[in-house]
Amino acid sequence: MSSELGDFLRSRRAALTPASTGIRTYGTARRVPGLRREEVAQLAGVSVNYYTRIEQGESHQMSDSVLDALANALRLDEAERLHLVRLARPAAVPRRRFPGPETVRGSVLALADSSTDQAVIIVGRRTDLLGGNRLGFALLGLTPDERPNMARQMFLNPAMRDLVVEWEREAHNTVAYLRNASSDAPDDPLLAELVGDLSIRSAEFARIWAMHPVAECLHAVREWDHPLVGRLTLNEESLRLPDDPGQRIIFNGAAAGSPSADRLRLLASLIASPEEL
């Protein structure tokens, strides 16, 4: 885990600039992108030697105040701060058993199916599609009997590049979620297998993974270019299921009275069963 901590810290200081952090450069040539180690150390109020040891994985006893100072120096958001703590203190991450493929409770499936004006899907901790309503499957270009892994869909299914308007951004979000999930569940072998498989089969996944993005991805406005109804702008809300850690029920709906709302209703009518017409 110490090598991951160093990778994470390097990725975050590479993403910052002296100007954005108030560091004076005096016009000197810079050989590294972003901040230097000594600049991060200065911002965090620690010695350069100590910070260098942290990046190299040689310091394992960081206090809360040091972790907080590093998070502030590197401008980390809440998800990134939690990720930093998990990497710095792996022994404190709860060890859980992961017996195999996930299942979803019938009451959650019923909740998804009861929503008729929004596209709803249920996704597991490893981004496996566990269920949803028919409109949710239709939005993704799937039939209700399909249960793909959504990260594999994003990177390995060419149709997703046409369906998802801002594919690069959404691909980045997918990797950020998997990075966050991996630090939350470091002992999950199926999650590690998924990351390894995507790293081998997708150069784009490997490139983004190396950037070390971390995010929860709980709400967003997403653009879709659906082959049946055209362009959709949908508000996405992702709700975690407290009794099933890592599972999320995701709602995609359109603003009332908008063209996207009309197109979402059209999509619903196109996939309706005969008795619903």
Side-chain angles (χ1 to χ4, degrees):
M1 190 67 80
S2 60
S3 63
E4 282 205 34
L5 174 60
D7 290 342
F8 178 61
L9 293 173
R10 282 187 289 273
S11 73
R12 288 305 172 268
R13 66 179 172 89
L16 296 173
T17 64
S20 69
T21 55
I23 293 288
R24 298 185 66 179
T25 60
Y26 302 101
T28 56
R30 304 182 66 83
R31 294 179 297 173
V32 296
L35 298 183
R36 297 167 174 155
R37 282 176 176 167
E38 56 266 30
E39 291 167 339
V40 175
Q42 176 187 338
L43 290 169
V46 299
S47 72
V48 178
N49 180 59
Y50 181 53
Y51 178 74
T52 299
R53 285 163 46 213
I54 293 172
E55 270 202 8
Q56 293 176 344
E58 298 174 4
S59 180
H60 306 284
Q61 299 296 326
M62 279 185 283
S63 66
D64 290 343
S65 60
V66 169
L67 284 171
D68 193 51
L70 287 177
N72 290 335
L74 295 169
R75 307 297 197 264
L76 303 187
D77 62 24
E78 288 304 311
E80 292 168 332
R81 283 172 180 264
L82 180 57
H83 186 65
L84 172 64
V85 172
R86 288 169 177 161
L87 295 181
R89 297 172 177 168
V93 178
R95 290 328 194 206
R96 300 193 296 268
R97 291 182 64 252
F98 300 98
E102 293 177 82
T103 59
V104 62
R105 286 178 288 129
S107 58
V108 177
L109 291 171
L111 174 62
D113 198 51
S114 68
S115 180
T116 58
D117 60 346
Q118 297 196 65
V120 185
I121 59 172
I122 304 162
V123 179
R125 73 174 70 89
R126 308 176 188 111
T127 70
D128 294 319
L129 181 59
L130 304 177
N133 63 6
R134 279 187 294 174
L135 189 52
F137 284 98
L139 178 64
L140 296 171
L142 301 171
T143 59
D145 61 331
E146 293 181 275
R147 294 294 185 274
N149 177 273
M150 297 311 300
R152 286 192 172 96
Q153 283 284 101
M154 181 64 72
F155 286 94
L156 304 180
N157 184 352
M160 292 297 288
R161 296 174 186 269
D162 296 324
L163 179 63
V164 177
V165 174
E166 295 188 60
W167 184 88
E168 177 72 25
R169 187 187 76 174
E170 300 307 330
H172 188 278
N173 289 340
T174 299
V175 176
Y177 169 80
L178 284 176
R179 177 71 79 172
N180 191 64
S182 295
S183 70
D184 182 46
D187 296 329
D188 185 345
L190 293 180
L191 183 56
E193 180 184 323
L194 171 65
V195 171
D197 181 55
L198 286 171
S199 297
I200 293 170
R201 298 176 64 188
S202 170
E204 286 158 315
F205 179 90
R207 171 181 59 83
I208 301 172
W209 184 262
M211 296 166 61
H212 221 117
V214 181
E216 279 278 7
C217 307
L218 295 179
H219 61 87
V221 177
R222 304 199 189 280
E223 297 278 346
W224 306 80
D225 193 1
H226 200 278
L228 295 180
V229 297
R231 185 67 62 95
L232 294 160
T233 301
L234 301 180
N235 300 309
E236 180 177 293
E237 294 290 340
S238 179
L239 306 179
R240 288 190 174 276
L241 301 177
D243 292 337
D244 298 286
Q247 291 187 11
R248 297 167 293 151
I249 183 167
I250 302 173
F251 297 85
N252 278 278
S258 67
S260 291
D262 294 336
R263 291 170 186 150
L264 198 60
R265 281 194 295 271
L266 174 60
L267 180 59
S269 69
L270 292 174
I271 53 97
S273 59
E275 60 269 21
E276 294 175 320
L277 295 176

